Amino acid sequence: MEYTIQQLAKLSGVSTRTLRYYDEIDLLKPARTNEAGYRFYGQHEVDILQQILFYRALDMKLVTIHNIIHAPDFQHTAALKTHRDALLQRKKQLDQLLKTVEQTIQSIEEEHPMTNEEKFNGFKEQLIEENEKQYGKEIRANYGQETVDASNAKFRNLTEEQYNAMQQLEQQLFERLKEAMAIGDVRNDVSMEVAELHKRWLSFSWPQYTKEAHAGLAQMYIADDRFTAYYDKHVSVGATQFLHDVIREYTQN
């Protein structure tokens, strides 16, 4: 069965303008175009569009989607299983947020105050999901599934006081890092304090600290632009490289 662009738009809920754009960027080409320039789509194109919409639902950029679905080793079934896992994780996080909202409403209506821990459970789940989405693949590849799962579990169990202390410690880390960069010596006392603060910050979520793991994380910071952008954004350009050098000095002693 073939669909015109208008029919496919109606079937999928995607506008004809979007479908034309997908054609222009070679994301979704029609099966054929007649002499009058009308586009026609077959079952293969319908299946590919479904994949595109799954990825878009996960907030993935179009260029990334293009690279995935047009890769020589792209497998439809495997991609669907990946979508399922990602959506189940999102459902879990949304269920937790919904539970938190419902508990808050109930506590107000019935005058049964929630504990502060209960108030923040949903938000902690959201932070975990965002971290998994942005860095999960690399972190799990470097540290293993069990270590990352244990780290997430420890973060979930943080009390309000511990969570606030973790946030305050990170701000202190940013400030000391600025001071250390101004001095420019990775071996001085301020730089060593930066490394110590970073170690203490990690210990809020890491099940166990080792110098080897600390040094490995520092290497990941400069090996991936996404990691590099975090400290460069919150401190200044070059902060991630300087932090890496400080941690390397700290862990070698």
Side-chain angles (χ1 to χ4, degrees), residues 161-178:
E161 291 77 13
Q162 290 172 328
Y163 179 79
N164 289 337
M166 183 180 182
Q167 301 304 307
Q168 292 171 5
L169 186 62
E170 186 177 40
Q171 291 303 314
Q172 187 180 357
L173 169 63
F174 292 156
E175 293 170 5
R176 287 292 184 273
L177 183 53
K178 287 180 182 178

Side-chain angles (χ1 to χ4, degrees), residues 205-217:
S205 58
W206 276 20
Q208 182 179 3
Y209 174 85
T210 66
K211 286 187 174 182
E212 293 76 16
H214 197 180
L217 181 63

Side-chain angles (χ1 to χ4, degrees), residues 48-64:
I48 292 298
L49 179 58
Q50 183 193 42
Q51 290 288 346
I52 293 170
L53 296 182
F54 278 139
Y55 284 120
R56 290 296 289 159
L58 297 172
D59 300 322
M60 190 173 290
K61 295 181 179 179
L62 292 179
V63 64
T64 304

Side-chain angles (χ1 to χ4, degrees), residues 196-208:
E196 181 65 28
L197 288 170
H198 192 260
K199 173 186 174 180
R200 287 168 53 194
W201 179 73
L202 290 173
S203 296
F204 277 100
S205 58
W206 276 20
Q208 182 179 3

Side-chain angles (χ1 to χ4, degrees), residues 73-87:
D73 58 349
F74 177 74
Q75 295 182 357
H76 193 110
T77 302
L80 286 172
K81 290 180 179 179
T82 300
H83 294 317
R84 178 194 61 194
D85 294 342
L87 291 170

Side-chain angles (χ1 to χ4, degrees), residues 35-236:
E35 294 180 357
Y38 291 106
R39 298 170 174 85
F40 293 88
Y41 299 83
Q43 188 59 50
H44 174 71
E45 288 70 38
V46 171
D47 293 340
I48 292 298
L49 179 58
Q50 183 193 42
Q51 290 288 346
I52 293 170
L53 296 182
F54 278 139
Y55 284 120
R56 290 296 289 159
L58 297 172
D59 300 322
M60 190 173 290
K61 295 181 179 179
L62 292 179
V63 64
T64 304
I65 299 173
H66 181 282
N67 292 338
I68 293 173
I69 65 176
H70 291 294
D73 58 349
F74 177 74
Q75 295 182 357
H76 193 110
T77 302
L80 286 172
K81 290 180 179 179
T82 300
H83 294 317
R84 178 194 61 194
D85 294 342
L87 291 170
L88 284 173
Q89 180 62 34
R90 175 168 289 190
K91 178 179 182 295
K92 179 181 177 181
Q93 187 263 331
L94 289 173
D95 286 344
Q96 181 62 58
L97 284 176
L98 180 60
K99 180 181 177 181
T100 301
V101 171
E102 290 174 343
Q103 286 178 328
T104 304
I105 294 172
Q106 184 178 9
S107 71
I108 294 172
E109 292 179 345
E110 299 180 5
E111 298 184 355
H112 292 152
M114 296 174 65
T115 66
N116 288 331
E117 284 72 23
E118 289 174 331
K119 291 179 182 178
F120 291 98
N121 282 341
F123 298 106
K124 286 191 286 188
E125 286 294 335
Q126 186 175 21
L127 289 172
I128 290 173
E129 184 193 7
E130 290 173 354
N131 189 65
E132 285 280 357
K133 179 180 176 181
Q134 191 166 8
Y135 309 117
K137 183 178 180 180
E138 292 79 4
I139 294 175
R140 289 180 181 275
N142 281 275
Y143 294 98
Q145 300 286 350
E146 291 184 4
T147 299
V148 176
D149 289 342
S151 176
N152 288 342
K154 187 173 182 180
F155 183 77
R156 287 188 181 96
N157 290 326
L158 291 179
T159 65
E160 180 190 12
E161 291 77 13
Q162 290 172 328
Y163 179 79
N164 289 337
M166 183 180 182
Q167 301 304 307
Q168 292 171 5
L169 186 62
E170 186 177 40
Q171 291 303 314
Q172 187 180 357
L173 169 63
F174 292 156
E175 293 170 5
R176 287 292 184 273
L177 183 53
K178 287 180 182 178
E179 293 178 19
M181 290 178 68
I183 297 170
D185 180 4
V186 299
R187 297 180 178 86
N188 70 7
D189 291 343
V190 178
S191 292
M192 290 301 98
E193 184 182 355
V194 167
E196 181 65 28
L197 288 170
H198 192 260
K199 173 186 174 180
R200 287 168 53 194
W201 179 73
L202 290 173
S203 296
F204 277 100
S205 58
W206 276 20
Q208 182 179 3
Y209 174 85
T210 66
K211 286 187 174 182
E212 293 76 16
H214 197 180
L217 181 63
Q219 185 60 39
M220 288 178 62
Y221 281 173
I222 62 171
D224 190 309
D225 290 342
R226 294 168 299 170
F227 291 95
T228 302
Y230 184 77
Y231 285 97
D232 282 12
K233 174 184 177 182
H234 287 86
V235 183
S236 63

